[in-house]
Amino acid sequence: MGKCMQGYLDEQFMELEELQDDVNPNFVEEVATLYFKDSARLINSIDQALERGSFDFNRLDNYMHQFKGSSTSIGASKVKTECTMFREYCRMGNAEGCLRTFQQVKKEHATLRKKLEHYFQLARQAGPKETARRSK
Amino acid sequence: MTVEQDCVALDQFPVGMRVLAVDDDQTCLRILESLLHRCQYHVTTTNQAQKALELLRENKNKFDLVISDVDMPDMDGFKLLELVGLEMDLPVIMLSAHSDPKYVMKGVTHGACDYLLKPVRIEELKNIWQHVVRSRFDKNRGSNNGDKKDGSGNNEGVANSDPNNGRANRKRKDQYNEDEDEERDDNDDPSSQKKPRVVWTVELHKKFVAAVNQLGFEKAMPKKILDLMNVEKLTRENVASHLQKFRLYLKRISGNQQAIMANSDLHFLQMSNGLDGFHHRPIPVGSGQFHGGAAAAGMRPFSPNGILGRLNTPSGIGGVRNNLSSPSSGMFLQNPTDLGKFHHVSSLPLNHIDGGNILQGLPMPLEFDQLQTNNNKSIIAGNSMAFPSFPTQQSSLPNNNNHLVLEGHPQASPSAFPGHQINKRLEHWSNAVSSSSSTLPPAQNSNSIIIGHQFDVSPLPHSKPDSLEWNTQNASSSYSIPFFYYDSSQMRQSGNYGPTTDAMLSSNPKEGFIVGQQKLQSGFMGAEAGSLDDIVNSTMKQEQSQGDLSEGDLGYGGFSSLRTCL
C-alpha cells in the first residue's frame, strides 16, 4: 500500500493481502468488491432512514454496526472512525450529529473506493503477485 | 489420539478439520473463509443461520466445528449456538465485533467454546482445533473409564465441549465393542436386540442404569453414559432423553405412589400419564405397551414437580430400591433448572424398605436457581446423574421423615435452556414437584411398589425428532428396558434414579415405555440431599453443553429403563 493509501487502510488490509496467494490471486480485490457492494447497500438503508427523518436510533445504530463490522474487516480505518462517531451520536440520540457524521462516512467511503480501484488497477498492471506485496 | 481419526481428515488433524462458518456479512465471511483455508481447514460457508442449521442437521458428522457470527438477521447467533450445542453437540466459536463482556458472557453461557472478536486474525484461528480435540478427548475419557471426571464434567459444561466427536467416538467405540454389546445384550436380556432405532428395552435400560450408577449420579451425563453403555447406534440424545424421562419417571413415582402401587407393567407408563404438566410433547412410544401418558409425561420437560412429585409417593419411593448394579445408577437430574427445583427429593417415602428413605435425598433437581446460574445448557437429560444414594438423612429436606420432599422451584430460567423450552419444562417439573411433593406417606408396601415396568421405549418422541433417531420410529424396535429394577436388597443403594419418571414415561402410547421389570433400581436411596444437589448441579452444568434436550423437548423419547427409585 503506498502512501496514497496511508491512513485509509490499516493492518487489517495487510492481513488480507497476506491471504492472497496463488490459490487466491485476486483475493483482496474480491473482498473489496464484496465490501463495497455490502456497504453500498447499508449506506442506502441509512440514507433512507435518515431522510425519513424518524431517527430510529436503534435501527440506525444497527445498520452502522454492520457497516462498521465490514469496514473493520477490510481495514478501512478512516471509514471505521467515522462509523464509530456516528454510533456515538446515535447513542446520544443526537440527530444532527448523526446526519453530519454520516456525510463524513459517505465521504470517506467514496474516497476509499476510488483509491482501492486505483490500487487494484495498478496491481493488475503490475501482475498478480505484485499485489500481494505489502510495500508498493 | 485416534479419536481425531474419526473426524475429518483422519490422521491429519487438524489439517482438514471441517469447519462451518456462518456470518451474514459477506465481506467478513469471505475473509473468514480465506483465513480458515489458510489454516488448512476444510471450510463450508453460509451467510444464513438457518441454512447452517440445515447443513448441520443434514449430517451431524459432517462438521467438526462451527464458527458463527453473533449478529445475524435471520437468527440470533446465540440461538444458533444453543441449537447446535443441543442438537449436534459440536463445539461452536462465536465471532463478533462486540467486545462488550456481556456478549462474551452470553456466548459462554450459551455454550460457546470460544468467543473471538472481529476482525479475526489468523493466529486466533490457527488454534481453534483445540476445541475439537478437547471435546473429543473429554468424551473419550468419559467413556473410557466411565469415571466421573471433574474435568470432563467441566468441559462439558464448557459448552459445546462435546462435539460431534463424541459421536464419532461413540461410533468408533461401538464398532470396537460391538461384540461386547452383543454380549451384553444377550446376557442381560435375550429379548433385547440392537435395532436401528433406540428402543429402550429392559436390557438397554439396565445398561443405562448401570452406566449411570457407575458414573455416579452427579457425573452421569449422557455422553458418558452412552460411552459406558457402549451400545451401538445409541446416541447421546437417546441417552439424554432417556435420562430425562427416567428422572421424570422417578419424580412421578414419588408423587404418585398410588400409581406405583398399582402393579402393572405399565406402571411407569401410568405414571407418566399422571404427570401433570408433562405433556409437552407426545412422546411416541413405540410399543403400545406402555400406555401413553406415562411416556409422555416422562419425557416431557422435565418438570421437576412432576418427577419429584412422583418420587414423593411413598410407594414409589419405598418401593423402589434400585438395585442398580452399578453403584451409581441413580437417576439423573439433569436439568439444571430442574435441579434447582428439586430440592431434595429426599424424603422419599421409603417406607418400608429402608425405613422409608428410599429416595431420600433424591437428587432431584435441586436448585434450579443454582442451575440457572450455571448456565446452562440444560443439563437435562444429558447427564444421567445418578442420584446419589440418598442419605437417609435428608439433610436437605426440610422434613425429615421419610417423605420425599421435593422442592421444586419453579423458576427455571428459560434462558438456561436452549430454546428455553427446557426451562419451561423444568418449571413444569418443579411445579409438579412442588405440588406433588408433599411428604410422601410412608409407603407401607414398599416392596410392592416398584415399578417394574418394562419400558418399551421406542423412539421416544423426542422433541427433536430429527436429532433422535429413535423418535422417528415408533414402536418399531424397541428394546424394552426394565424400567424399574426393584431390588429390595439394593434399595438403599446408590443408584439414584433421578426423577426420570416422568420423562421416562412417555405419554404417548407409541412410545411405550414399558416398565417391565419389577426391579426397581432405587437410585434414590439414602437421602443425600446434598449430594443430590451436587449431582444435579454438576449434571446440569455438564449437560448444558450437551443439551440433549432438543429444543424444548426435555422428554426423551424412549426412556428405556425407568428405574424407579422407590
Side-chain angles (χ1 to χ4, degrees):
Chain A
M1 246 192 312
K3 264 189 296 199
C4 70
M5 297 304 255
Q6 223 165 38
Y8 287 90
L9 291 170
D10 59 25
E11 301 79 31
Q12 181 62 21
F13 189 80
M14 291 180 205
E15 298 258 347
L16 297 184
E17 288 189 305
E18 291 276 301
L19 288 174
Q20 186 157 295
D21 55 17
D22 292 345
V23 177
N24 286 310
N26 300 310
F27 178 67
V28 187
E29 190 170 358
E30 278 170 28
V31 173
T33 306
L34 274 173
Y35 167 69
F36 284 111
K37 196 169 84 168
D38 255 0
S39 51
R41 189 179 41 84
L42 282 167
I43 285 179
N44 240 358
S45 304
I46 299 177
D47 254 335
Q48 285 172 20
L50 288 173
E51 268 163 39
R52 272 198 293 272
S54 50
F55 287 97
D56 178 347
F57 291 111
N58 261 347
R59 197 152 170 216
L60 289 171
D61 189 58
N62 275 343
Y63 282 136
M64 191 49 78
H65 171 70
Q66 292 178 52
F67 186 73
K68 183 181 169 197
S70 23
S71 303
T72 305
S73 65
I74 199 182
S77 47
K78 284 191 189 242
V79 175
K80 193 171 77 167
T81 306
E82 297 300 333
C83 289
T84 307
M85 276 229 283
F86 181 91
R87 296 188 77 199
E88 274 307 307
Y89 283 119
C90 278
R91 268 174 235 149
M92 294 192 291
N94 184 335
E96 202 223 308
C98 284
L99 282 167
R100 241 183 318 117
T101 313
F102 190 60
Q103 298 312 309
Q104 284 299 108
V105 168
K106 283 195 284 187
K107 185 170 144 241
E108 292 298 342
H109 182 262
T111 306
L112 180 67
R113 185 177 212 146
K114 279 209 207 73
K115 285 190 182 284
L116 277 175
E117 277 169 9
H118 181 62
Y119 174 77
F120 290 127
Q121 217 170 24
L122 287 176
R124 261 180 257 123
Q125 286 166 13
K129 294 252 167 108
E130 303 269 345
T131 59
R133 297 299 153 265
R134 230 182 269 199
S135 54
K136 211 175 164 180
Chain B
M1 199 179 328
T2 50
V3 167
E4 285 87 337
Q5 294 182 5
D6 276 63
C7 55
V8 197
L10 306 187
D11 290 36
Q12 288 175 37
F13 189 86
V15 170
M17 183 174 80
R18 299 160 302 175
V19 181
L20 176 64
V22 191
D23 193 338
D24 63 309
D25 183 326
Q26 297 278 17
T27 311
C28 295
L29 191 62
R30 182 76 182 84
I31 296 174
L32 182 62
E33 181 185 29
S34 189
L35 287 169
L36 291 167
H37 273 139
R38 193 44 84 84
C39 296
Q40 295 186 286
Y41 302 139
H42 179 271
V43 189
T44 305
T45 60
T46 174
N47 62 346
Q48 288 167 18
Q50 204 52 52
K51 181 81 179 115
L53 269 180
E54 279 168 29
L55 284 171
L56 289 166
R57 283 173 176 156
E58 185 179 295
N59 183 354
K60 283 175 199 155
N61 292 325
K62 213 164 138 194
F63 299 101
D64 301 303
L65 181 78
V66 179
I67 295 187
S68 169
D69 183 40
V70 165
D71 311 298
M72 289 190 286
D74 67 329
M75 184 188 297
D76 178 19
F78 294 115
K79 171 84 176 171
L80 176 66
L81 167 58
E82 277 181 337
L83 292 176
V84 173
L86 259 192
E87 289 187 41
M88 291 110 201
D89 232 7
L90 283 175
V92 180
I93 292 178
M94 301 307 293
L95 275 184
S96 177
H98 290 293
S99 57
D100 188 343
K102 81 169 187 272
Y103 280 87
V104 180
M105 176 64 81
K106 198 171 175 193
V108 172
T109 59
H110 282 69
C113 60
D114 207 349
Y115 190 103
L116 302 177
L117 293 183
K118 287 183 180 179
V120 181
R121 290 169 313 120
I122 197 164
E123 293 79 17
E124 295 175 294
L125 295 176
K126 283 203 166 126
N127 288 333
I128 59 177
W129 58 268
Q130 64 177 282
H131 300 294
V132 174
V133 173
R134 185 177 296 113
S135 42
R136 288 190 192 171
F137 182 68
D138 290 339
K139 186 183 186 329
N140 239 7
R141 271 198 298 164
S143 58
N144 284 344
N145 354 348
D147 289 345
K148 302 181 215 175
K149 288 192 192 285
D150 290 337
S152 55
N154 290 335
N155 287 333
E156 287 175 355
V158 164
N160 287 341
S161 54
D162 274 329
N164 57 346
N165 295 333
R167 238 172 248 118
N169 292 345
R170 192 166 31 227
K171 269 202 205 146
R172 238 165 11 90
K173 279 208 226 309
D174 285 342
Q175 284 159 18
Y176 296 160
N177 301 316
E178 214 168 310
D179 291 353
E180 221 177 282
D181 279 348
E182 298 275 341
E183 285 172 13
R184 277 215 264 177
D185 281 344
D186 291 342
N187 294 341
D188 290 345
D189 180 356
S191 63
S192 68
Q193 297 157 27
K194 284 213 195 86
K195 305 235 167 128
R197 295 295 178 218
V198 174
V199 175
W200 286 92
T201 59
V202 171
E203 192 40 32
L204 196 63
H205 183 65
K206 260 197 208 158
K207 284 190 193 173
F208 168 81
V209 175
V212 169
N213 278 339
Q214 190 178 337
L215 291 170
F217 189 76
E218 356 182 9
K219 298 280 183 148
M221 300 207 302
K223 277 212 175 67
K224 289 190 188 148
I225 296 174
L226 185 64
D227 290 336
L228 277 181
M229 286 175 70
N230 218 354
V231 172
E232 200 176 59
K233 295 179 195 143
L234 190 64
T235 68
R236 194 179 64 78
E237 290 90 22
N238 297 150
V239 174
S241 184
H242 189 71
L243 188 60
Q244 185 185 25
K245 290 191 184 129
F246 190 43
R247 270 193 260 164
L248 287 172
Y249 176 81
L250 289 176
K251 188 163 73 137
R252 234 196 297 197
I253 302 176
S254 67
N256 189 356
Q257 58 204 20
Q258 304 311 333
I260 294 178
M261 297 284 217
N263 46 285
S264 58
D265 286 352
L266 301 180
H267 178 70
F268 183 66
L269 296 177
Q270 288 171 7
M271 297 221 331
S272 55
N273 282 324
L275 258 192
D276 294 329
F278 275 136
H279 291 276
H280 297 279
R281 222 222 187 190
I283 298 184
V285 180
S287 56
Q289 300 195 9
F290 58 99
H291 291 302
M299 313 264 235
R300 285 286 157 85
F302 236 156
S303 119
N305 290 332
I307 296 206
L308 289 180
R310 293 292 170 144
L311 290 174
N312 281 328
T313 53
S315 58
I317 303 198
V320 182
R321 274 276 186 124
N322 271 331
N323 63 9
L324 290 177
S325 40
S326 345
S328 50
S329 48
M331 293 285 262
F332 31 25
L333 281 184
Q334 304 242 348
N335 274 325
T337 51
D338 281 340
L339 292 180
K341 295 195 184 172
F342 288 27
H343 269 284
H344 346 284
V345 179
S346 47
S347 29
L348 288 184
L350 296 179
N351 58 160
H352 32 304
I353 300 200
D354 67 39
N357 290 345
I358 293 194
L359 287 179
Q360 277 184 1
L362 249 187
M364 296 299 243
L366 317 173
E367 279 97 44
F368 278 97
D369 298 336
Q370 294 173 11
L371 293 179
Q372 293 180 355
T373 49
N374 291 335
N375 238 7
N376 9 168
K377 265 245 152 163
S378 47
I379 300 193
I380 304 190
N383 309 317
S384 45
M385 294 203 294
F387 274 116
S389 39
F390 294 37
T392 32
Q393 65 264 2
Q394 305 169 351
S395 44
S396 53
L397 293 179
N399 87 90
N400 277 340
N401 326 333
N402 300 327
H403 297 305
L404 174 62
V405 174
L406 295 174
E407 292 178 13
H409 295 295
Q411 290 159 32
S413 60
S415 55
F417 292 100
H420 305 292
Q421 294 177 355
I422 296 180
N423 289 329
K424 293 197 191 122
R425 300 248 177 93
L426 291 178
E427 287 180 51
H428 287 294
W429 189 4
S430 55
N431 288 329
V433 173
S434 37
S435 56
S436 59
S437 63
S438 29
T439 55
L440 292 175
Q444 289 103 26
N445 315 321
S446 52
N447 300 316
S448 55
I449 307 177
I450 314 311
I451 302 169
H453 300 290
Q454 215 168 15
F455 282 177
D456 220 313
V457 173
S458 9
L460 288 177
H462 192 88
S463 56
K464 275 189 173 215
D466 35 356
S467 57
L468 287 182
E469 288 180 3
W470 19 316
N471 282 336
T472 53
Q473 285 195 3
N474 293 339
S476 37
S477 44
S478 37
Y479 19 89
S480 33
I481 293 186
F483 194 72
F484 290 101
Y485 286 76
Y486 177 60
D487 181 350
S488 48
S489 59
Q490 297 186 4
M491 283 292 242
R492 278 257 185 132
Q493 307 247 343
S494 63
N496 294 313
Y497 283 111
T500 47
T501 57
D502 291 328
M504 308 262 231
L505 298 175
S506 155
S507 49
N508 202 322
K510 283 213 231 130
E511 280 211 52
F513 275 171
I514 293 188
V515 184
Q517 319 233 73
Q518 305 273 344
K519 292 194 268 182
L520 288 179
Q521 304 223 347
S522 49
F524 309 102
M525 304 301 225
E528 284 182 24
S531 54
L532 186 56
D533 285 344
D534 291 342
I535 293 181
V536 170
N537 286 334
S538 56
T539 10
M540 292 194 21
K541 283 195 197 124
Q542 296 173 355
E543 280 310 317
Q544 280 276 286
S545 52
Q546 299 180 3
D548 256 356
L549 298 177
S550 16
E551 301 195 72
D553 191 7
L554 288 189
Y556 287 101
F559 191 80
S560 49
S561 48
L562 288 182
R563 288 187 176 234
T564 49
C565 301
L566 291 187

